[in-house]
Amino acid sequence: MRSIWNGAISFGLVSIPIKLVNATESHTISFRQIHTEDGGRIRYRKVCELEDREVAQSEIGKAYEDADGTMVPITDEDLSHLPIPTARTIEIVAFVPGDRIDPLQMGSAYYLAASGAPAAKPYTLLREALKRSNRVAIAKFALRGRERLGMLRVVGDAIAMHGLLWPDEVRAPEGVAPETDVTVRDQELDLADALMDTLGEIDLDDLHDEYREALEEVIAAKAAGETPPEAPEPPRSGKVLDLMAALENSVRAARESRGEEGAGDAEVHPLPEREEPSRRGAGAKKASGGGKAAARKTARKTARKAEPGKEEPKKRTAKKSAAKSAPAKSAAGKSGGGRKAAAGESGTKAPAKKAASRRRSA
């Protein structure tokens, strides 16, 4: 592997000559810009805006643009004489537990290769010390024109370094989490745990970039003058109404994909569907069936009670029976209180009392 930086690791008074090489590589398929009419390449030319002419790479340098637009030229020699100890050195400043490092800070990964035979002994010493302590080394180094933060850890028999963002470069997660209060039940957590247990075991070497593979198929088909393969239809996703049902279905599907026994044991508990008011009314009518007539009778009775001057048939019958028994009650009514008792028992109103008094006078 080609080194991109040469320097040394400063480990107290120990200096370890090393070479920095990239630990990762990109397999992303890149495209060129073309003129769609004739397929010609679109290129960017570097032109000096003062002379209005294209300049070669050897004529291009660096400069810092001040707030007022003034350009301050900076040469490679200026950068090589920066007054910092990390210009050509990875300076270890601390050893901390690995879980102290926030993954949000991690950036590019590099391998630190021992440079020459004299570096083998101190390199191995640092590697074994990191292994035995179960800690990582925090270091500062300069690369590509600026000082950076790094984390050294052991990977197999090598020492790897992860570039770290400075703490003030990591944003706080303000306004990201849901603002509403949500209650999670224990049953939902149990199903989530079961789903994680089912999906959690996997060999990372089996994972691959399916998008890149599909893109390669399209490029190969176009190059051969064939029709590119059609994309499969995306799965239909309905609105999830019951989180428990979604979790149980996910656990069942994961187990079935792995061929595990008892994959269909999970039970689904769908939430009751919410019906519109019109649908609920229709359902009530269907459920009542032959009870429509009883409902109409009850409604008519209630309407008669609410209308003034109208009485039920039973009350009219009571009026007739009171009129027939009026002569017998008149004899008892001479004692004064009998008239009130007769009126109270009959439940008749003022017209009935007048009819009874006419009969007594007759």
Side-chain angles (χ1 to χ4, degrees), residues 14-352:
V14 179
S15 180
I16 311 172
I18 57 97
K19 295 179 180 180
L20 191 70
V21 298
N22 284 318
T24 61
E25 59 185 1
S26 175
H27 293 161
T28 301
I29 297 176
S30 59
F31 297 98
R32 302 290 188 184
Q33 290 186 328
I34 62 171
H35 188 201
T36 55
E37 291 186 2
D38 54 20
R41 282 280 306 276
I42 301 298
R43 297 182 182 274
Y44 294 94
R45 304 184 184 277
K46 298 180 180 180
V47 178
C48 175
E49 63 180 13
L50 296 180
E51 299 181 6
D52 194 21
R53 69 176 181 88
E54 186 178 355
V55 295
Q57 183 64 36
S58 59
E59 301 178 75
I60 299 175
K62 302 183 184 70
Y64 173 78
E65 185 177 2
D66 208 349
D68 59 356
T70 303
M71 294 295 179
V72 182
I74 302 294
T75 65
D76 292 338
E77 186 178 359
D78 295 332
L79 297 176
S80 64
H81 292 88
L82 289 175
I84 55 174
T86 59
R88 303 299 297 177
T89 304
I90 298 175
E91 181 185 7
I92 296 177
V93 296
F95 293 89
V96 299
D99 56 7
R100 286 272 304 277
I101 306 301
D102 190 342
L104 287 174
Q105 290 184 254
M106 292 187 180
S108 301
Y110 309 94
Y111 286 133
L112 304 181
S115 181
K121 179 70 173 182
Y123 186 97
T124 305
L125 172 64
L126 176 59
R127 183 191 67 196
E128 296 303 316
L130 289 173
K131 276 185 180 180
R132 191 168 70 171
S133 64
N134 290 323
R135 288 183 289 181
V136 297
I138 304 301
K140 296 171 69 176
F141 65 102
L143 181 65
R144 298 190 178 98
R146 69 185 184 93
E147 188 175 54
R148 303 166 185 258
L149 194 63
M151 179 192 74
L152 278 64
R153 68 184 184 96
V154 178
V155 178
D157 292 332
I159 298 176
M161 181 174 69
H162 296 270
L164 299 179
L165 297 174
W166 297 98
D168 59 356
E169 293 180 320
V170 179
R171 294 179 176 178
E174 296 179 357
V176 178
E179 297 180 357
T180 57
D181 294 334
V182 178
T183 301
V184 179
R185 297 179 294 172
D186 291 339
Q187 295 89 338
E188 294 169 340
L189 284 175
D190 293 340
L191 281 173
D193 290 340
L195 181 58
M196 287 190 293
D197 291 340
T198 305
L199 299 178
E201 297 296 332
I202 192 172
D203 187 357
L204 295 180
D205 293 334
D206 295 337
L207 300 179
H208 55 278
D209 189 350
E210 296 181 3
Y211 179 84
R212 178 172 58 87
E213 293 176 354
L215 188 56
E216 289 173 348
E217 292 181 5
V218 171
I219 294 173
K222 295 279 286 187
E226 301 174 355
T227 303
E230 295 183 359
E233 294 185 2
R236 297 179 181 179
S237 57
K239 185 178 180 181
V240 178
L241 298 179
D242 187 0
L243 180 59
M244 289 287 289
L247 288 171
E248 289 173 343
N249 288 335
S250 300
V251 173
R252 182 189 299 110
R255 289 176 177 172
E256 288 177 352
S257 65
R258 293 174 179 272
E260 297 181 6
E261 296 182 359
D265 295 341
E267 297 181 358
V268 180
H269 305 283
L271 288 176
E273 296 182 358
R274 295 183 178 180
E275 299 179 352
E276 299 296 332
S278 59
R279 294 181 181 179
R280 286 200 296 266
K285 289 179 180 180
K286 291 180 180 180
S288 59
K292 291 182 180 179
R296 292 195 194 101
K297 290 180 181 179
T298 305
R300 284 198 295 268
K301 290 180 181 180
T302 305
R304 290 193 194 99
K305 290 181 181 179
E307 294 180 5
K310 288 186 177 182
E311 296 177 354
E312 297 181 10
K314 288 184 179 180
K315 290 186 178 181
R316 288 198 297 270
T317 305
K319 288 180 182 180
K320 293 179 181 179
S321 60
K324 291 179 181 180
S325 60
K329 290 182 179 179
S330 61
K334 292 180 180 179
S335 61
R339 219 178 278 120
K340 295 180 181 180
E345 291 176 1
S346 63
T348 57
K349 296 182 179 179

